[in-house]
Amino acid sequence: MMNFRFAVNVTPKPGILDPQGRAVEGSLGHLGIVGVSGVRVGRRVELTVDAADEAAARAVVERLAAELLSNPLIEAYDVELLGEASSMVGPGGGAVGEG
Amino acid sequence: MMNFRFAVNVTPKPGILDPQGRAVEGSLGHLGIVGVSGVRVGRRVELTVDAADEAAARAVVERLAAELLSNPLIEAYDVELLGEASSMVGPGGGAVGEG
Amino acid sequence: MTVADLPIEPLHHRLGVTDEELDAIRDRLGGRDPNDLELAMFSVMWSEHCSYKSSKALLRTLPTAGEGVVAGPGENAGVISIGDGLAIAFKIESHNHPSAVEPYQGAATGVGGILRDIFTMGARPIAVLDALRFGDPADPRTRHLLDGVVRGVGGYGNCVGVPTVGGELVFDPSYQGNPLVNVMAIGLLEERHLTLAAAPGPGNLVVLFGSATGRDGIGGASVLASATFTHDDPSKRPSVQVGDPFAEKLLIEASLELIERGLVEGLQDLGAGGITCATSETADRAGTGIVVDLDAIPRREPGLAPFEVMISESQERMCAAVRPDRWPEVREVCQRWGLPVAIIGRVTADGDIAIVQGGLDPDGRPAPGALELARVPAAALTSDAIVYERVATPPTHRRDAPAPGAPASVSDRLPERGMDPGAVLLALLGSPGLSSRRAVYEQYDSTVGADTVAGPGRGAAVLRIKGTSRALVASTDGNQAVGRFDPWLGAALSVAEATRNVSITGARPLGVTNCLNYGDPTRPEAFWQLAEGVRGLGDACRALGLPVTGGNVSLYNESPTGAIAPTPEIGVVGLLDDVATLVGPAFRQAGDAIVLVGETTPGLAGSAYATLAGVAIEDDPPGLDLAREAAIQAFIRKAIGRGLVASAQDVSGGGLAVALAECAMWGGLGARVRVAQVGSPAVALFGESPSRLVLSCRALHAPALELLAHQHGLPVERIGSVGGGALVIESGAGGATGAAEERGSGVADALEVPLGNLRHTWDHGLARALGWEG
Amino acid sequence: MPVRVGVVVFPGSNCDRDTLHALAMAGAEPVALWHEQATLEGAAAVVLPGGFAYGDYLRAGVIARFSPIMRAVAGFAASGGLVLGICNGFQVLAEAGLVPGALLRNASLRFTGREVSISAERLDTAFTHALVAGGPLRMPVAHGEGCYYADEATLDALERDGQVLFRYVDPSGELVGPDHPANPNGSLRAIAGVMNAAGNVAGLMPHPERAAEAILGSADGMGIVRSLVESAAKAAAAPARPARPAPPAELAAPAQFGAAVS
Ligand SMILES: Nc1ncnc2c1ncn2[C@@H]1O[C@H](COP(=O)(O)OP(=O)(O)O)[C@@H](O)[C@H]1O
Ligand SMILES: [Mg+2]
């Protein structure tokens, strides 16, 4: 068995209204930021999978992404392998994405 | 001027309680999924920046991420260059992440 | 990380413990020095927030006995019997400093904390009221804080399914650097299920259930809640607590099931001070001790130091004393609700809190090879904590500079001259302080529970009690505007208004809870304000015959921009025996008579009008006659009981004109009234002298109403009648006298404003002030 | 003999007691159904109540959809059983694919709790027949994710096939556009409630159970509750259907799948 850490990025499908994205664009002015467009706000879920190999791990993540993490009517997703969890997981498994 | 498409991934800081991640983990049993752990749920914001060069574009995104898109008290973020927007933006700029 | 890694020197100072307190601790430990863990425990329990070391002596002076009181100060919440075997639990608490650091989570965990205080007693929470105070609504930081706090209150309350039925939203410059977030909760219980926060019975198990323990709010009690706050201080960042309303909802259901099935001997929520506070308070109340099995405490993350586990403020946790034979059932209930549960210790007879690493044997004694990391008398941490007699010194000048917006000197801008009363009325109705709060309370679920008869927006909240004809009526009020000039009066007025709001529905106030928000008690002037506030609170409650059943004290409400105006936040719950008799503030039908009860007295300082138009330097706030206030509340309850009253509103912010405008707008009915002038038009129309009511009644009931008022020794005047599409106020020929006369102002013009204008101005004022609306 | 109507209790449901109360007032025998049980205890109709099942984390209703009882509910629905989802219950039904469409975050991006007016598009359904024709119905909404969405083709089909059950209207009963304040969440075509094609599964965002007594400001919701109870009574009287446990495929899959992974 091995540990794999994945990220699932879920974004509103093209054409679906994205009020959050619009809200972000709306507030750019206050920050005096120009030249930013096409803002889309979605979800990012990071998780660790125990599996025999990457293919098996991916199968689990794909299923989670399709059935739980995204709603196919309105959202699209992609799966990102972040690496071997053993080398990635901090406390709470959240070490990835430190700013 | 050029177009750059970025993603900002915002995740709960390590050690900060993530009720969403915990709820997802709690529900995995109902999906008959085992071997998944360290679930952290965050946000993913994709956006397009007009700028002279990548460095300038990054500067804008970093500022957005720090001041608007994340809450430094409880969230960490990282910035991902997705590519030249011209080649990436679908309607609403959401073409990235089609599942 | 260990205690030793915390920033700055020396250790007890780093933990906020003074040299004097360290000596007192040694004294409680028979002369020996506390070790690091023990010192951390003392630092939390002896913080102002947990120990009330500066306020205890004052709070002892409050009246706490009253009809039906079954639990008062000292318990998690006050409990009052309402008959039929039912009782209510209610309490108000502050979360000011956490909300200033992280408004969403600060407010959310504030709601979670006060709800736990309610269901810990065996009561199902049925209502929340949020009393919020901020600085300038036009300021970007204020807007950020307000938006976060409102989302936080809603995010938590909406999810747990407790309706937010009322509260307050006040803007005052003194809150600019230090917003106030006070939350009141009300619960309903069967009296036989009343459960106290005690750990009786040596040999009983100490059971922890709810969320696992993480690093949340480490040092929160001693640092966050007790040190003067300067915003964006990074040292406070790691201790932000994150709330999980979903976990709280499960905790409510599991706790109430445990209580209803009689499975727990005592129950205590975990708040400030975490496991240290819960174990020492419950042991001390029962005269027992507790040995804590450190390794048994469920952790959210690895590597927590013992002191972190002992003082962590991780949310959504409860601690119960359980008889060993009931453990299997207790575990089953918690597991069914999806809550981690563990035996984390035993009740002992020795009166000490002992912390053991390495496990306990089946009899609760340290297992072979186990280490005892700490041993402290439970009383030393709680009832025997240090108490201070602080120095109180009145300010040298009792009257501040003119209210905000006031002219520097008595000038031509004085209100009476050339005042257009209609314009002033609209300005008041549209002002951030008096306009509709809809933009805020529509972000709350105010109807879940299917008991809300009157939600937020128009005076006191009313909740029917299913299966009975009765209803609970609740209100929160706090007066900092007058309190800034006279803290005794500010507190007394707060009690008067909160109870009056309940009485004018026909309900009988049952008891008072309070949250005392003041400055740094080590400053003699700030402590004087606190002392005067408590005195005003006690005097008012005695005059009205009401017990103070609980509350909370929040000190050190200061920022670089100064201290807040003293803010005694008062929460009142009343009982209406027959909900069918409920009277509201809205005019009911054209032709009804309008009656003004009470006396208009001079004094504009502290009024909404003063913030708008300014006020003469020599002017004072209006006085309060507590006997008169008691009489007018007794009168209105009797009048409503006899079915004489169609609508009832009290005169408060904005004065008589605003009160009339509200009755008219809400009833969709205009009115024509004539008011005699007292002092000046400004006083007559916009003065806020207390103990006044605007009533409407069928014309044929007017004489009986007036007679009843006289029997209560109250001035009463029939001032007009309901009808038409506008509010028309004419000034009586009483003639301008006194100040107004000297300033050469005549009688003000008549006021005539169409209902549509009143409503539109009132409706949009707040959203516009906050920039939520163009 | 009152008809038995089940109310599913998910962890985080918070309108279950209100719904049981309203059903009892409408003359039913209400029973609470715990989310982990596999049967509906012979209920002739099932209500998924409002609340925040599993905290509504991730997406409102999505986690609850995988609760064990949802298999029984799906099977019950597939065999024609009456199912009503209110607010969060509507979100769960939509996530489970038992009613068409999805519920997005309110256009305002704020939770909205206030009284709205809705009009019933049809008075001949199992959920609306007891409503008296005419005037709009006043009842509260209280949600953060109630913006009804489906693609244009689906919306057209729903309207054509009479699957739109309720729409938000202004207090006078006039239809309004998505940006009108009478539409509390920006729902497309002001849709407040829909049915499945067979007409036995329906969901709506407003709360009829909170508007079932005059003392609470409106009794308009009682007509919906009573419709359900009366329809349930009819169904109970009719010859028993073959209870067909036919859960959607992905709901059947998990068990073996998990094994394969471990
Ligand atoms: N202003 C007050 N008036 C009366 N009682 C008070 C006041 N402040 C605190 N108390 C009582 O002191 C006890 C401890 O207060 P607090 O720590 O806020 O309670 P808890 O620990 O349950 O949050 C409570 O029973 C509370 O009712
Ligand atoms: Mg408590």
Side-chain angles (χ1 to χ4, degrees):
Chain A
M1 295 296 280
M2 290 173 64
N3 279 338
F4 302 88
R5 187 129 183 108
F6 287 93
V8 178
N9 300 317
V10 180
T11 46
K13 275 188 174 166
I16 299 284
L17 33 148
D18 174 18
Q20 284 176 277
R22 259 192 282 112
V24 171
E25 286 178 5
S27 50
L28 293 173
H30 308 307
L31 288 163
I33 290 183
V34 294
V36 172
S37 61
V39 180
R40 307 287 284 172
V41 178
R43 240 183 335 272
R44 178 175 173 94
V45 181
E46 297 179 355
L47 47 86
T48 300
V49 184
D50 279 24
D53 54 32
E54 187 184 326
R58 252 183 207 286
V60 176
V61 178
E62 282 288 339
R63 179 158 165 260
L64 260 181
E67 289 179 24
L68 184 69
L69 305 181
S70 74
N71 177 343
L73 270 184
I74 50 175
E75 294 167 327
Y77 70 87
D78 68 3
V79 174
E80 216 181 290
L81 176 62
L82 298 175
E84 296 207 1
S86 47
S87 64
M88 308 283 297
V89 184
V96 178
E98 209 57 59
Chain B
M1 294 297 276
M2 289 174 62
N3 281 337
F4 302 88
R5 187 130 184 105
F6 287 91
V8 178
N9 300 318
V10 181
T11 47
K13 278 187 177 167
I16 291 280
L17 175 66
D18 174 18
Q20 298 208 76
R22 195 165 59 168
V24 171
E25 278 182 34
S27 71
L28 294 174
H30 289 156
L31 282 106
I33 288 183
V34 296
V36 172
S37 62
V39 179
R40 306 288 279 175
V41 178
R43 274 188 311 288
R44 176 167 173 103
V45 181
E46 298 180 355
L47 46 85
T48 300
V49 186
D50 281 24
D53 55 32
E54 185 183 328
R58 248 180 212 285
V60 174
V61 179
E62 282 288 342
R63 204 174 136 227
L64 257 181
E67 292 177 24
L68 187 65
L69 304 180
S70 75
N71 176 348
L73 294 185
I74 52 181
E75 295 172 325
Y77 69 87
D78 67 5
V79 172
E80 215 180 289
L81 177 62
L82 299 175
E84 294 205 5
S86 49
S87 64
M88 308 283 298
V89 185
V96 177
E98 213 57 62
Chain C
M1 136 159 148
T2 74
V3 175
D5 301 333
L6 288 169
I8 3 173
E9 292 289 315
L11 180 55
H12 65 283
H13 286 175
R14 286 183 243 149
L15 292 169
V17 174
T18 66
D19 297 344
E20 176 194 0
E21 287 169 341
L22 184 57
D23 289 339
I25 290 170
R26 291 198 185 96
D27 182 66
R28 309 287 196 281
L29 295 178
R32 75 172 169 92
D33 278 321
N35 63 36
D36 287 4
L37 175 56
E38 292 166 336
L39 189 58
M41 292 163 68
F42 272 102
S43 76
V44 171
M45 293 305 296
W46 284 24
S47 70
E48 193 65 61
H49 183 73
C50 291
S51 70
Y52 289 80
K53 57 191 171 191
S54 299
S55 56
K56 234 181 198 155
L58 298 173
L59 299 181
R60 287 204 187 95
T61 66
L62 294 170
T64 56
E67 184 193 346
V69 176
V70 287
E75 293 300 334
N76 282 305
V79 178
I80 297 183
S81 166
I82 58 171
D84 298 346
L86 295 175
I88 55 164
F90 62 106
K91 165 102 176 278
I92 189 167
E93 211 161 58
S94 69
H95 230 215
N96 304 338
H97 299 85
S99 302
V101 177
E102 212 304 289
Y104 183 97
Q105 294 299 341
T109 52
V111 174
I114 190 63
L115 288 176
R116 284 192 292 281
D117 279 338
I118 298 303
F119 66 81
T120 298
M121 319 245 357
R124 176 170 290 275
I126 58 168
V128 161
L129 296 87
D130 63 326
L132 312 178
R133 286 171 152 71
F134 300 95
D136 175 5
D139 178 83
R141 177 161 175 83
T142 299
R143 292 176 174 188
H144 163 75
L145 289 172
L146 185 146
D147 185 64
V149 165
V150 169
R151 287 180 188 274
V153 169
Y156 207 99
N158 299 342
C159 183
V160 294
V162 179
T164 300
V165 296
E168 263 194 303
L169 175 58
V170 173
F171 299 98
D172 181 291
S174 77
Y175 303 124
Q176 190 61 50
N178 195 125
L180 300 187
V181 175
N182 293 182
V183 184
M184 174 176 174
I186 305 171
L188 187 64
L189 68 150
E190 285 182 53
E191 216 170 317
R192 63 197 175 97
H193 290 147
L194 176 62
T195 304
L196 299 183
N204 282 335
L205 309 175
V206 177
V207 172
L208 184 70
F209 61 101
S211 300
T213 298
R215 283 200 174 84
D216 318 68
I218 297 299
S222 55
V223 182
L224 254 189
S226 302
T228 297
F229 172 76
T230 46
H231 68 72
D232 281 3
D233 176 345
S235 73
K236 302 206 172 63
R237 293 186 168 181
S239 53
V240 169
Q241 310 155 16
V242 172
D244 180 355
F246 173 55
E248 178 101 338
K249 169 64 174 168
L250 303 177
L251 207 55
I252 293 175
E253 300 305 330
S255 300
L256 293 180
E257 183 177 340
L258 290 173
I259 288 170
E260 278 154 25
R261 289 172 53 183
L263 297 176
V264 296
E265 308 310 301
L267 192 60
Q268 169 71 308
D269 62 299
L270 275 71
I275 294 172
T276 301
C277 181
T279 50
S280 54
E281 282 188 1
T282 50
D284 189 41
R285 287 196 186 106
T288 58
I290 288 177
V291 54
V292 175
D293 179 355
L294 198 62
D295 308 337
I297 296 165
R299 323 275 172 107
R300 197 171 76 224
E301 58 190 288
L304 271 70
F307 91 94
E308 292 180 298
V309 175
M310 288 307 295
I311 71 173
S312 160
E313 293 183 3
S314 290
Q315 301 290 298
E316 292 91 26
R317 297 181 298 167
M318 300 287 279
C319 182
V322 173
R323 271 176 29 196
D325 56 311
R326 293 189 168 142
W327 162 243
E329 282 172 278
V330 169
R331 185 182 47 204
E332 183 278 328
V333 170
C334 293
Q335 286 174 346
R336 176 154 38 78
W337 286 105
L339 298 170
V341 55
I343 300 170
I344 65 154
R346 292 285 197 299
V347 179
T348 63
D350 59 24
D352 289 345
I353 301 301
I355 315 299
V356 170
Q357 191 167 48
L360 303 179
D361 68 20
D363 315 321
R365 279 184 300 269
L371 282 178
E372 183 172 281
L373 303 183
R375 175 171 290 274
V376 180
L381 293 168
T382 57
S383 56
D384 190 28
I386 196 164
V387 173
Y388 289 110
E389 293 288 343
R390 303 282 194 194
V391 185
T393 318
T396 39
H397 67 300
R398 278 290 299 274
R399 175 75 158 80
D400 282 55
S409 69
V410 183
S411 78
D412 286 347
R413 280 194 50 237
L414 272 179
E416 289 77 5
R417 176 158 302 160
M419 171 179 72
D420 168 0
V424 175
L425 173 57
L426 286 173
L428 285 169
L429 281 178
S431 65
L434 295 179
S435 51
S436 166
R437 270 63 192 119
R438 193 168 50 87
V440 164
Y441 66 70
E442 281 189 353
Q443 297 182 53
Y444 303 146
D445 185 343
S446 58
T447 53
V448 61
D451 291 327
T452 306
V453 174
R458 299 181 181 187
V462 181
L463 296 142
R464 62 95 178 255
I465 303 172
K466 284 195 192 80
T468 76
S469 66
R470 297 183 294 170
L472 296 175
V473 180
S475 174
T476 64
D477 289 281
N479 185 324
Q480 83 291 336
V482 168
R484 144 185 304 121
F485 303 130
D486 179 343
W488 177 92
L489 184 55
L493 283 170
S494 303
V495 175
E497 175 160 7
T499 51
R500 196 186 310 130
N501 285 335
V502 168
S503 290
I504 60 175
T505 65
R508 175 174 44 94
L510 297 173
V512 168
T513 184
N514 68 96
C515 188
L516 302 173
N517 305 271
Y518 291 81
D520 174 352
T522 62
R523 277 196 310 113
E525 209 175 286
F527 187 72
W528 173 81
Q529 293 179 323
L530 173 64
E532 284 294 288
V534 174
R535 193 170 64 85
L537 168 59
D539 289 348
C541 288
R542 275 182 291 269
L544 294 165
L546 291 174
V548 172
T549 60
N552 170 246
V553 176
S554 170
L555 304 180
Y556 298 96
N557 289 289
E558 307 197 357
S559 73
T561 60
I564 62 166
T567 310
E569 187 64 43
I570 304 301
V572 173
V573 182
L575 183 65
L576 186 61
D577 288 319
D578 181 358
V579 68
T581 66
L582 174 68
V583 165
F587 286 146
R588 299 290 295 286
Q589 66 177 311
D592 281 358
I594 302 174
V595 175
L596 175 64
V597 186
E599 184 182 9
T600 303
T601 58
L604 288 170
S607 66
Y609 178 82
T611 39
L612 209 75
V615 58
I617 299 240
E618 72 277 9
D619 204 355
D620 278 326
L624 169 65
D625 174 344
L626 285 169
R628 163 68 57 87
E629 180 65 38
I632 207 162
Q633 290 191 34
F635 154 77
I636 187 60
R637 291 195 298 266
K638 188 165 289 165
I640 290 172
R642 293 197 191 159
L644 296 174
V645 181
S647 75
Q649 173 68 314
D650 71 320
V651 176
S652 56
L656 178 60
V658 166
L660 285 162
E662 289 171 343
C663 301
M665 284 189 294
W666 299 342
L669 290 163
R672 173 172 291 275
V673 303
R674 182 170 199 80
V675 299
Q677 263 185 50
V678 186
S680 77
V683 169
L685 293 176
F686 308 115
E688 298 178 10
S689 59
S691 315
R692 288 183 294 160
L693 304 177
V694 173
L695 311 180
S696 73
C697 66
R698 312 303 314 279
L700 62 102
H701 288 149
L705 200 57
E706 292 170 85
L707 178 63
L708 189 62
H710 286 130
Q711 288 166 346
H712 284 76
L714 298 166
V716 55
E717 186 188 358
R718 191 163 167 175
I719 58 173
S721 60
V722 175
L727 174 63
V728 182
I729 306 179
E730 289 156 353
S731 272
T737 57
E741 199 49 52
E742 284 133 39
R743 293 176 205 128
S745 88
V747 173
D749 332 337
L751 169 163
E752 173 157 6
V753 187
L755 285 183
N757 302 14
L758 295 175
R759 171 168 281 295
H760 186 272
T761 308
W762 176 77
D763 233 21
H764 297 278
L766 180 63
R768 287 188 180 155
L770 292 171
W772 290 353
E773 224 180 64
Chain D
M1 167 64 187
V3 60
R4 174 173 288 199
V5 178
V7 176
V8 174
V9 181
F10 297 105
S13 294
N14 65 29
C15 305
D16 44 330
R17 316 163 111 254
D18 311 2
T19 307
L20 291 163
H21 177 74
L23 286 166
M25 283 191 304
E29 177 206 354
V31 290
L33 303 173
W34 182 239
H35 74 116
E36 268 173 339
Q37 64 187 67
T39 80
L40 305 181
E41 295 181 14
V46 175
V47 180
L48 306 194
F52 286 68
Y54 293 92
D56 274 359
Y57 293 136
L58 225 47
R59 261 188 340 273
V62 62
I63 298 179
R65 155 203 176 191
F66 293 100
S67 272
I69 200 166
M70 285 306 291
R71 271 188 219 199
V73 170
F76 181 66
S79 57
L82 291 170
V83 180
L84 176 64
I86 300 170
C87 195
N88 193 223
F90 184 15
Q91 294 163 333
V92 175
L93 289 176
E95 282 289 342
L98 294 176
V99 293
L103 294 143
L104 311 181
R105 277 189 76 179
N106 296 352
S108 65
L109 293 179
R110 294 182 186 276
F111 184 99
T112 300
R114 61 176 164 95
E115 182 180 273
V116 297
S117 299
I118 60 175
S119 75
E121 294 278 296
R122 294 177 53 180
L123 298 177
D124 60 347
T125 74
F127 308 95
T128 56
H129 65 78
L131 289 167
V132 278
L137 310 169
R138 292 185 303 114
M139 61 190 74
V141 290
H143 59 252
E145 297 175 37
C147 175
Y148 187 79
Y149 170 86
D151 60 41
E152 289 299 310
T154 308
L155 291 170
D156 293 338
L158 291 177
E159 289 178 339
R160 186 190 62 235
D161 304 339
Q163 288 176 247
V164 175
L165 207 48
F166 300 103
R167 289 190 213 257
Y168 299 106
V169 294
D170 70 18
S172 70
E174 292 305 307
L175 286 173
V176 299
D179 301 332
H180 188 287
N183 179 340
N185 49 36
S187 289
L188 298 185
R189 305 195 192 181
I191 290 174
V194 297
M195 292 192 297
N196 65 347
N200 66 309
V201 182
L204 77 165
M205 289 313 294
H207 285 277
E209 82 282 10
R210 297 188 196 178
E213 290 164 274
I215 184 71
L216 301 180
S218 167
D220 294 351
M222 199 49 173
I224 296 171
V225 179
R226 203 178 301 109
S227 298
L228 178 71
V229 172
E230 288 171 6
S231 306
K234 277 202 216 76
R241 290 175 308 274
R244 172 155 52 93
E250 82 273 13
L251 279 175
Q256 320 86 307
F257 190 93
V261 176
S262 47

